[in-house]
Every structure is written in structure tokens, then in C-alpha cells.
Amino acid sequence: MAVLWITDDRFLDHDTGRAHPERPARLRAVIDGVRQADLGDALIPTEPRMATNEELLSVHHPSVLDSVQRVAQAGGGRLDPDTVLSAESEAVARLAAGAGLAAIEALDSGVADAAFCAVRPPGHHATPVRSMGFCMFNSAAICARALAERGEKVLVVDYDAHHGNGTQDVFWEDDRVMYVSWHQYPFYPGTGGLLERGEGAGAGTTINLPMPMGATGDAYRRGWDEAVLPAVEAFDPDWLVLSAGFDAHRSDPLTSLGLAAGDFADLTDAIVRVVSPGRRIAFLEGGYDLDALADSAAAAVASLSGTEWRPEPATGGGPGAEVAAAAAALLS
């Protein structure tokens, strides 16, 4: 299957400083990892485009845009203790937010079966009213909102080790979008408990699987099979938006989960099956050990292409099975 490979050298221009974990070397690692997977003609290089103000405002309050613009135009600085901007960062974040919109446009034309947006900065912590956690604009949410506004039902799945509080907030009361997240818990940003399920029209369309330290891939897969998949099948999505963060890898310096590259291959393969080819869009989110990021991202991209790349096997035997059981009981 063909995969749109959406990236750009301009994503390297977002300069967070030498000591910051969300650094340009992350994107280089992803590119190198995918090159090692040797996917050949399965990848279709595709250019992103800038998101317009109107597209950013479909998710974010004007104050978010104003804050990012003000700090970038001042030559850079901090939006919060974690979120560092350089002079080029506003333009880079707009390009990341527009990558998913470019993916929609290309997939609509039938040229590929899926898209992987190899972008930075990540986006899933950016809420409607606040940039935070390395994130300026919520690229995955902007993509999902664009699809929902044209009448599609959208499944957003997030397997980053940090809960996507921004994406959850955007769709908390929206029954057109189902949000599913595995994440280390309790952990930054402090959200994502099992009982957080949405409100109003969106009640029941948020599913959180808060995983304990050391959780391994078998617990993730059990959560998908026993709790998430039945709910997703009942929701019957038209499109998938995948927040593909790889910091749940056991080598990641910022987290304490137990996954390996083989688990990301398994998870991605299972998740993409719930929608038809041509309606699958993935975004790079976290992942801060460069070798683990290269291997894990390549495994996920290979799964999108319908092939197998497993530089290390899937994991098992760790904690987390109780989360799957609790989620299944809650959703039944």
C-alpha cells in the first residue's frame, strides 16, 4: 500500500536549544529509521502546506495564535517552562498543522492508502486556549476537526506516553469524534483518568487507558481487543487520525513505560484496520531516545504501508492487564 510521506526540511528550523528534548535531531532520526526500513516505492514524498488563520481558529482561541506570534516575532522565548520557541517556530508550527490538511487533500484524490506526517513540533497537548508541553498548535485535532466539519466520523487514537489533554479538550463534547488514548498515569499533564469519558453530546466518545509504569505491549493489545475495539466498531468511524508518539518505548528518557518497536508495529497494524484504506492519517508526536524513535517510527510507517519492519520484538509480561479489564467493564 502507498503511504504519503509528508515532511519538510523547514521542520528543522524550530530551534528549542541544545538541552531541550524536543530537538531537530528527532526528525532526522525518524527519517533515518524509515530509510533503514527500505520501504521503497511505498512512500510518496508529499509537501505540507501552511495552515491558515481560519484553520487554526477552528480549534484554538485567537489568544493562542497571538501568543505564539508575539514570542516568535520577538526572536523566540518560552510560552511555558517546557515550550520553547525560536524566531522561525510560528511558521514551522503552521506547517505542521497544515500537514494533515495536505494529507486529506491528497488522500481525497486517491493517490495513496495512508499518510504519515513526519512533523515537529508535536501538537497533542495544545488545548483550545493554551499552548503547552512542547506543543503550539494541535495538528491532529485541526485535521480531525476539518474532517468532522465536512460530515465525517473520525477516530483519533493516541499512543504517546503522555495523555493528549489538548485533543481530549477539543472534542470533549463532540460526538463526531471519538478520542482514544493509552498513556502513562499518573504522569504529565495529569489528565486521562479512566472515568474521563466526555460530556454532553460527546459523553462516551472519550476512552482513556491509563497505564502503570512498566506496562508492556501485551497489556496495550488486550486493552484494544477487549475494551476499545468494540466501542470503535459501534462508533463506526469513517477516518482515522493517529497521534503516533513513540515515548512509551522502554528506552525513552522522559517516561517509564515498557514498549518496544515491535509493539508499535502491532498497535498500528490493529488500529488502521478499523477504517478503509485511503482514510488513515498519522502524525509524529513524542519520542525522545533517538535510536528508539528511529526504530519505532519506522515500524509504524511500515505497518501503514502493509509491510512488516520489526527491529525488535513486541513485549509482554509487564503490568497493565488490570487497566484493560477495568476499561472493558466500564464500556460494557
Side-chain angles (χ1 to χ4, degrees):
M1 293 190 289
V3 178
L4 302 174
W5 174 248
I6 303 181
T7 195
D8 195 289
D9 286 346
R10 286 174 286 179
F11 292 125
L12 302 172
D13 294 338
H14 171 49
D15 184 0
T16 54
R18 293 180 62 187
H20 200 282
E22 205 297 281
R23 57 207 190 275
R26 294 182 62 246
L27 182 59
R28 297 190 187 101
V30 170
I31 293 169
D32 289 344
V34 171
R35 186 178 295 120
Q36 286 292 319
D38 193 24
L39 299 177
D41 293 340
L43 298 186
I44 302 174
T46 305
E47 292 186 1
R49 66 166 176 84
M50 294 278 188
T52 65
N53 281 353
E54 181 180 5
E55 289 162 342
L56 297 175
L57 292 170
S58 72
V59 163
H60 297 293
H61 189 273
S63 62
V64 174
L65 279 64
D66 292 344
S67 295
V68 170
Q69 185 176 66
R70 182 176 66 252
V71 173
Q73 289 184 349
R78 292 182 181 268
L79 290 173
D80 71 3
D82 301 313
T83 310
V84 180
L85 276 64
S86 60
E88 296 80 13
S89 295
E90 180 197 2
V92 175
R94 283 180 178 268
L95 196 65
L101 303 173
I104 294 170
E105 293 159 5
L107 291 174
D108 278 345
S109 71
V111 299
D113 301 287
F116 188 90
C117 302
V119 302
R120 55 182 297 271
H124 71 153
H125 292 310
T127 78
V129 297
R130 181 185 177 193
S131 301
M132 60 181 287
F134 308 167
C135 305
M136 283 173 263
F137 306 132
N138 195 321
S139 302
I142 290 165
C143 178
R145 176 58 58 80
L147 290 167
E149 287 296 318
R150 70 182 208 183
E152 310 282 4
K153 295 178 72 176
V154 186
L155 173 66
V156 180
V157 178
D158 187 338
Y159 53 51
D160 191 281
H162 302 88
H163 182 240
N165 59 304
T167 309
Q168 177 172 288
D169 284 359
V170 171
F171 300 113
W172 187 246
E173 298 183 0
D174 192 338
D175 63 354
R176 302 170 300 175
V177 177
M178 173 172 278
Y179 177 66
V180 176
S181 176
W182 288 273
H183 46 273
Q184 184 175 331
Y185 186 88
F187 200 52
Y188 181 90
T191 53
L194 192 66
L195 298 180
E196 296 174 29
R197 301 190 59 199
E199 291 183 348
T205 59
T206 292
I207 301 174
N208 285 301
L209 295 104
M211 306 301 287
M213 293 172 59
T216 45
D218 53 346
Y220 276 64
R221 292 187 294 275
R222 180 175 173 183
W224 175 260
D225 292 339
E226 297 182 9
V228 178
L229 184 57
V232 168
E233 290 176 339
F235 180 69
D236 192 23
D238 302 308
W239 283 76
L240 168 70
V241 174
L242 175 62
S243 277
F246 302 103
D247 44 3
H249 192 282
R250 59 194 173 192
S251 297
D252 197 274
L254 301 189
T255 67
S256 303
L257 292 169
L259 301 192
D263 297 306
F264 292 109
D266 285 344
L267 286 170
T268 305
D269 183 63
I271 291 164
V272 299
R273 292 175 184 272
V274 300
V275 300
S276 300
R279 298 185 170 195
R280 305 162 175 173
I281 301 173
F283 289 86
L284 176 65
E285 298 280 4
Y288 305 99
D289 179 273
L290 297 182
D291 290 338
L293 176 60
D295 287 346
S296 301
V301 174
S303 289
L304 287 173
S305 73
T307 60
E308 187 173 292
W309 172 256
R310 291 174 178 269
E312 49 185 3
T315 60
E322 69 281 1
V323 176
L330 185 65
L331 295 169
S332 62

